[in-house]
Amino acid sequence: MTCEHPAGPRSIALVGPQGAGKSTLFDALMAAAGEPVRRPRADRGEARGEARSEIRLGHCAFMGERWSILDCAGSIEFAFETEAALTAVDLAVVVVEPSAARLGALEPLMRSLEAHRLPHLVFVNKIDQLDGSFDALLHALQGASARRIAPRQLPMRAGDAVIGYVDVVTGRAFRYGERDAAQPIELPEALRDDERKAHEELTEALADQDDALLEKILEDVEPGADELYAHISKDQSGDQIVEALIGQANRGHGVFRLWKALRHDAPPAAETARRRGLAGEGEGQPDEAPAVQIFKTAQGGRLCFGRVWRGVLRDGATLGQVGAGQGGGAGQVRVGGLYRFAGADQTRASEAQAGEVVALGRLEGVGAGDLLGGLAQDAAPFPRPPEPVYELAVAPKDRKDDVKLSTALTKLAQDDPSLSVEHRPETGETVMRGQGELHLSAAIERLAAVHNVEVAVATPSIAYKETIRRAVSQHGRLKRQTGGHGQFADVKIEVEPRPRGVGFAFLDKTVGGSVPKNFIPAVREAAEEAMRKGPLGYPVVDVAVTLVDGGFHSVDSSDMAFRAATKAAVAEALAKADPVLLEPVDHVVVSAPNAFTAAVQKLLSGRRGQIMGYHEKPGWPGWDDVEALAPEAELHDLIMELRSDTMGLGAYKRRFDHLSEARR
C-alpha cells in the first residue's frame, strides 16, 4: 500500500530502560515491514561486547514510506551513545515495562528528550504482565514527564490476562489475535466508564494546546474522531503531548498500531532539520548540496553512522568537514561506501536521501558530532561526553602486546567518546575510564574480540604522597679517597614542613662561601630528587630544604659529591621528621531524587566522606545535590552502590580537592 501523503524518509529511535524489550520491538517492527532481522550470533563473534552496547540500525519500508530505526542500549552506562543517537532522529519511542514502581528511572531520559525538544511517545511493552492498575501506571508515567501523557489505548482484561485494547479516540474495542491480528469486538460494558473518562482526559489534553478546540469543549460540542486525530498528530509531532500506546512485542501485539501512529505523528525530516537549525536555503531542491552529521563511529573509525539532513548523498562524494565534534579537524573527506541494514545483513547503497540514517565507510579523521557538507560549525549542537565515574587499570597479558594495546585503546576511545584512557606517571599504570562496570566490561570484550588483545585488569593504584610534621636539622658529609682525586662534600641542611598544597621549596642561606655558588644547583637538584621517594615509599610534598652551611675541598669537591651528600642528608632528615602518609581527597557532588537524599548521605559517610551540605539541583525540581569531601580510595566502586541505592537514578561528579593525612 502506498501512503497518501508521503513524508519522505524518516528516522526513529527506540529508547528506554534495560529489559523493557526494545530489541524485541525492533525485531517486531522490522518483521511487520517485511524485513525480519537476524540476531547477533556468538559463534560468529557478533555477541561479545558489541551486542550489549552497540546501536542497531535497521532500514525498512512500511506502507510506502521508508524508515531508519535505531535500537539503543538501555543501560545508563551507555546513555551517551543513546543521547548521540537522538540527535539523528525525528521521534523517539520510549519503551517501558508495565510496572509503575519501575518508571521512576525514566525521569533523566524524559528530561533529555524534553531538553532537545524531540517528539517522543511511550510504548508500554509486555502489557500482558501489567502490574496493578493502568491508572497507576499512567500516573507514574506522568510523574516522569513534563509533557502531558495522552493515553491512546486502554488495556482490556479477562481476569488477570490482557486480551486486547480499547481505542480511546473511537471507543472501539479490539481483541488480540496471532501476530497482531487484532479483531474488533463489542466494547465490554465494564470498560465504558473508563473509556469515557479517558476520552475526556485526552480531549482536554489536546484542548490545552488549541483555543478553538477548548471553545468547542466549553460549548459542549463533541469533536469528531478525524478532528481529534489531526490534533494528536500536530501536538505529538510538535512535542506538545506524549502519546501512550500498549502492546506485547514478542507476540506482535500492538506493533501495527504503533506503526500507524509513527506514520501519522512522526514529523518529517525537513521539519526536524528546521528545528535543529540544519535546513538549507534550497530545501528540497534536487541539486541541493548534501549535508550529514556523524553521531557514531565504529570499527576503529572505519565505519561512521550519520543522518543525511539535506540533499542526496552519493557513494564516492567529497564533503567538506567541520570539526564541531570528536574528529576535531577541518578539510574534506571522501565517502568510501554507503551502507544500509535491511533484513538480515548489511547491503551497499549507491545513494541516500535526506532523512535517512546510513553508515559511511572509510572517512579518515571523522568523529562523533562532526558536520559534513554545507553546515555551519555552530549548527546542530552535539552532546558532550559525560565525566567518567568508574575506572580500571589495564595491562596486556602478553608483554609483547604493549604497542598493540595502546593502538587498540586509542581506537576504542575514538569510537566511544564516553570512554577515555590515560597513562598515570605517578603509578605507571594505564587507566581506562568510563561509565560503569558494564561499560568497561564491554570495552574489554571488544579489545579481545575485535583487536585480539587480552588484558589483565585491576583497581587503579592511589597516588599517595607523604610529608613531614616537624622540622629537623641534618649534617651530610661525603669523604672518599681512592687514589688520585677523591670525593669531598659537606652540607648542613634544615628540613621543615610547609603549608599543604604549596609544594617544594629550596633556600640557600650559606654565608662566606662555605659552599661555593657553582655547587648550589647540584645541592638543589639532589634535594628535589630526594623528594621522589620518601621513607614511606611515596613522593614527598610540601617540604622546604634550606642549605645553612657546609664545606668543600678545592680539589676533591664536585657536583657529584655534593649531590651524594645532599641526598643522604635529606633522606636521613625525612626519616627523623615524623613522616606521614597523605591521601588524595576529592570534592564529590551526588545528584539524586530527594527521596534518596538521606540514603546518599549515609552512603558517603560510610565511605569516610565529610558531608558539606545539600541543596536542590538547579533546574531539577524534586532532586538534590549532596556535596561531600571523600578520600579517592573510597570512590572506586561508589557508582555501583549509588545506583543500587537510588533505583539507578543517582549520578555523581568529582574533582581533586586536596591531600589529607591518611587515617590509620
Side-chain angles (χ1 to χ4, degrees), residues 99 134 235 237 310 337 342 362 550 633:
S99 172
F134 193 62
D235 294 344
S237 64
R310 302 204 305 255
R362 298 193 298 277

Side-chain angles (χ1 to χ4, degrees), residues 630-653:
E632 181 184 321
E634 300 286 347
L635 301 179
H636 169 66
D637 61 349
L638 172 66
I639 190 61
M640 290 181 278
E641 190 172 355
L642 174 62
R643 286 171 177 162
S644 175
D645 289 352
T646 61
M647 296 180 61
L649 293 170
Y652 81 91
K653 295 180 180 180

Side-chain angles (χ1 to χ4, degrees), residues 192-395:
R192 290 188 183 277
D193 288 344
D194 291 341
E195 192 282 328
R196 187 179 301 107
K197 178 184 175 183
H199 183 89
E200 291 174 355
E201 291 177 351
L202 173 62
T203 306
E204 290 173 2
L206 298 174
D208 287 342
Q209 312 300 328
D210 189 277
D211 290 341
L213 180 58
L214 177 60
E215 188 175 339
K216 279 190 175 184
I217 294 175
L218 294 175
E219 294 175 354
D220 291 328
V221 177
E222 178 67 27
D226 289 343
E227 184 177 357
L228 290 180
Y229 284 136
H231 282 289
I232 290 171
S233 181
K234 175 176 68 69
D235 294 344
Q236 174 66 69
S237 64
D239 190 32
Q240 300 299 316
I241 64 169
V242 178
E243 293 181 81
L245 296 98
I246 64 174
Q248 190 176 348
N250 65 343
R251 295 185 179 179
H253 295 164
V255 174
F256 187 78
R257 186 65 194 83
L258 174 60
W259 262 125
K260 290 180 67 177
L262 292 173
R263 288 183 64 243
H264 291 292
D265 304 338
E271 184 176 321
T272 306
R274 285 192 292 272
R275 174 177 59 81
R276 299 202 64 220
L278 294 169
E281 295 180 2
E283 182 182 320
Q285 299 302 314
D287 58 348
E288 185 179 19
V292 183
Q293 183 172 35
I294 303 302
F295 66 89
K296 177 178 172 58
T297 65
Q299 301 176 16
R302 293 194 300 271
L303 202 64
C304 299
F305 293 85
R307 177 84 188 265
V308 182
W309 288 107
R310 302 204 305 255
V312 177
L313 179 64
R314 293 182 173 83
D315 192 359
T318 299
L319 302 172
Q321 177 188 359
V322 178
Q326 303 298 318
Q332 290 189 327
V333 293
R334 182 179 180 277
V335 179
L338 284 175
Y339 303 95
R340 292 193 182 95
F341 298 82
D345 297 299
Q346 172 180 308
T347 59
R348 189 153 183 168
S350 60
E351 65 179 35
Q353 294 185 353
E356 289 191 82
V357 174
V358 290
L360 295 78
R362 298 193 298 277
L363 296 183
E364 295 293 333
V366 173
D370 281 355
L371 307 169
L372 309 179
L375 293 172
Q377 184 168 354
D378 58 352
F382 197 75
R384 298 185 62 181
E387 296 182 17
V389 294
Y390 187 73
E391 54 191 32
L392 290 173
V394 296

Side-chain angles (χ1 to χ4, degrees), residues 507-589:
L507 301 173
D508 173 21
K509 290 187 177 181
T510 57
V511 294
S514 58
V515 176
K517 295 297 182 184
N518 58 303
F519 293 134
I520 300 299
V523 175
R524 176 194 296 270
E525 291 170 6
E528 286 190 72
E529 186 177 344
M531 298 295 143
R532 295 177 185 173
K533 188 175 182 180
L536 302 179
Y538 297 97
V540 182
V541 297
D542 303 331
V543 169
V545 175
T546 303
L547 178 63
V548 295
D549 200 1
F552 73 101
H553 188 278
S554 59
V555 175
D556 292 343
S557 289
S558 64
D559 283 350
M560 184 172 64
F562 272 97
R563 285 194 183 97
T566 302
K567 284 187 67 175
V570 172
E572 289 185 45
L574 291 175
K576 297 175 182 178
D578 195 7
V580 61
L581 188 67
L582 298 177
E583 64 178 346
V585 175
D586 289 355
H587 178 265
V588 182
V589 179

Side-chain angles (χ1 to χ4, degrees), residues 16-19 22 52-53 72-83 104-110 112 386-387 389 416 418 434-439 620 623 639-640 642-644 646-652:
Q18 192 171 15
K22 295 179 298 298
R52 288 194 295 177
S53 63
C72 302
S75 170
I76 189 65
E77 299 184 22
F78 303 105
F80 174 75
E81 185 174 79
T82 295
E83 191 171 4
L106 275 182
E107 189 171 357
L109 172 61
M110 301 297 267
S112 177
E387 296 182 17
V389 294
D416 182 0
S418 65
Q435 304 309 307
E437 188 176 30
L438 179 64
H439 185 209
W620 286 67
W623 283 57
I639 190 61
M640 290 181 278
L642 174 62
R643 286 171 177 162
S644 175
T646 61
M647 296 180 61
L649 293 170
Y652 81 91

